[in-house]
Amino acid sequence: LLNWYTMRTFPKLVGGLSDFFRSPLSNTRKSQWCQWKRAMHQVELTSVRYPNVKRGPYATVDDNDIKFFERVMEPSRVMTDPDIVDSHNVDWLKMVRGASQVLLRPKSTKEVSEVLKYCNTRRLAVCPQGGKTGLVGGGVPVFDEIIISTSLMDDIIAIDGISGALTCEAGCILEDLDNYAAGHGFMMPLDLGAKGSCHIGGNVSTNAGGIRLIRYGNLHHNVLGVEAVLANGEVVDGLTTIRKDNSGYDISHLFIGSEGTLGFVSKVAIECVKRPKAVNVAYLGLKNFNNVLATFRLARESLGEILSSCEFMDAESVHCVEQNLHLRLPIPKCPFYMLIETNGSNATHDEDKLMTFLDLLMRKKLVIEGTMASEPRHISNLWQTRERITEALLLDGYTYKYDISLPLTYFYQIVEEMRNRVGKYTIRCCGYGHLGDGNLHLNMTSKEFNEQLVHKIEPYLFEYIARKKGSVSAEHGLGFKKRDFIHYSKSPSAIELMRRLKNAFDPNGILNPYKVLPDLPYLFFHQLQVNLQSRQRHPKLLLEAYRRAWSGSSNGIALLQPRGEAIAVNTALEVAPKPEVRWVEVRWGPLPSNIRHDHRGDLPHRHSPEPPKVGEKVEKELQDLEPEVIERIPLVPSRGPIVSGPGPGLGLGLGLGPGLGLGLGLEVAAADLVGGTRQGEVELNGGTAGARRWDAMAGGDSRLDFVASARDHAAHQG
Ligand SMILES: Cc1cc2nc3c(=O)[nH]c(=O)nc-3n(C[C@H](O)[C@H](O)[C@H](O)COP(=O)(O)OP(=O)(O)OC[C@H]3O[C@@H](n4cnc5c(N)ncnc54)[C@H](O)[C@@H]3O)c2cc1C
């Protein structure tokens, strides 16, 4: 039943990502490099592709700043040559591009500290950068932030021969650390496809997962201590190498996964694991996803403590590697593939266990093809088809990358659903990932960036994830690309607390701005444009207003809810019988943190029995309020779709049942409308009332959400 291919006939596969970046350039590599450089220059500036993201109130670098940096470190490490700086402006996936003009390469914590202290005083924004392999646009600037690279902070300080505690600077490359640890009989607990390029500081800052998390846990488990530099230059020394320390808050752990927004990680202490004496890998081909799940269940049962990795790939992913990188697959084509690895201390014991497991798989007819390796070079070859998928996908053109957590029951369902939904726009839609951790990498590719395709994927995918109680980012972080979707996985109170932490650590917001947290509380508030309201709730009027708001004409009401998903729409001026507030100027302040929302973001006042307040009274009350103004929203018609969620649509359906029927359907995005209407009613008609209720719940300490202040735009301008 099982065709075990002999590893002797296995072809030598070309080098991995690490080789690409690190080996001396051969002619082929040189031409690849030139292609890469050309492609890099074609990446659109982030500020152009995402015009809604506005540059923060930061200073711009001038000659005096450069002179200061050159006093802190050697001038050769203050780089302003556009050719060099540009390559640090573009991310590895070539999806975002900053416009920084300065790259700093400090060599010590002291230098980082002096630079940050100065930047903080001058209000110069900075972007910490490691190996630049991050997949959410976090490690490159959005505008002109100064790039501070860890590439020259690469000293390995020490390793404890008994505990395996390794201390090093943030710029050490993961693979180098692993090689160093190997010399002392240890292994880095973390392993990922980008190991030849990513830095340990970047790993810690993203809380990177990787292929062995199922066995060794994530970095919250392995990192013993961190030294970090705060925005004001203060050095927080948490570089302990002990395992247990309950003396107060664990500050070091705040830096793990904070993606450079709370501090600059300068040194790391990490607990290495004993290097396994026996490693085995089985590469399996399976007929369907149910068999993948059954195999995983059996692997946990049969392999128990030696199971170190359980990865899955669908046919599309693997065939992309074959097609784009010309790698030969270790087994014939199958609908699904799995890589199961064991790490142990006794080769005979592990092999016995693995063979029993494979036997069981064959008897249960769960796999259709397979091969096995226990020799390091063969093992590394088997891993290539998994580890190089990201690289292979990139060669299609543009990758839409989603790294999500889902309960295993829905794990592959979403890949199929998205394939149906976006199939015609994409070159491929595939799924692979760390099955053992419930972490799916869902990827779609197209020749070039296609905004229409993005709208087909988002927020549809995130809504699905929220419904299934998953996470919008399993291991890559939020960076720039996913920050606006944080609310699908975190409650408003958690987000608010994060914001307070950010303010406490970095009051001027100079550390990696535009990353992790949305610009303003929960939403793209500056997309909120057109405001008119009445209490009229006739569905036809709703539809009209919805259409107007959607198309950006000036009379609809569009209001994004705090979860960024729903819309408040009432009616349009011409059709409203009694428009009471002509327009509303909207300002946002954070919601009080003690307000609870359910997973879908229901606001508490939705359930309030109190009728909304309307008319002049509201206007008067609103005028009297003085909320903290975060930004003034210009009341101008929007230029494009300003809301997320489905729009109204017309559908024609043909039904075949006992009889034959032809139906005309009108989709008005009922849920959004209903939710939106109720939301709008309270927030626009009764902005004050809503705010007061929140205020009361927050113990009188809330900042207000809305204020309506003038009769119309012209009067306001006057
Ligand atoms: C082929 C491939 C495979 C990958 N596989 C995995 C995987 O299996 N699991 C996984 O989790 N990720 C994976 N990644 C993503 C990426 O490698 C990780 O996120 C990695 O940890 C990023 O490290 P870096 O040094 O490249 O950081 P960068 O990309 O340079 O930066 C990432 C983020 O960390 C911040 N940062 C970097 N250094 C510091 C510092 N010293 N102090 C403060 N902030 C800092 C940056 O500002 C940015 O927000 C993969 C990427 C590629 C290209």
Side-chain angles (χ1 to χ4, degrees), residues 408-455:
L408 288 179
T409 340
Y410 310 109
F411 206 72
Y412 202 68
Q413 221 178 59
I414 186 61
V415 181
E416 286 165 338
E417 208 167 311
M418 291 310 288
R419 203 172 277 150
N420 287 336
R421 188 175 165 82
V422 301
K424 68 172 178 187
Y425 298 89
T426 60
I427 297 175
R428 72 186 94 231
C429 170
C430 62
Y432 62 94
H434 313 298
L435 182 79
D437 312 318
N439 178 183
L440 171 74
H441 295 319
L442 168 62
N443 287 260
M444 287 146 267
T445 61
S446 64
K447 207 162 176 326
E448 283 156 358
F449 174 73
N450 177 348
E451 204 175 337
Q452 213 186 346
L453 177 51
V454 175
H455 292 306

Side-chain angles (χ1 to χ4, degrees), residues 104-120:
L104 302 178
R105 306 213 299 160
K107 272 187 172 170
S108 66
T109 306
K110 186 165 172 285
E111 287 180 358
V112 175
S113 164
E114 283 181 41
V115 165
L116 284 181
K117 188 173 171 193
Y118 177 83
C119 290
N120 194 44

Side-chain angles (χ1 to χ4, degrees), residues 128 130-134 138-139 199 203 205-206 208-210 259-260 263 265 434 475 512:
K132 212 164 65 77
T133 65
H199 298 181
N203 298 148
S205 302
T206 52
E259 301 182 59
V265 173
H434 313 298
E475 61 175 8
N512 223 6

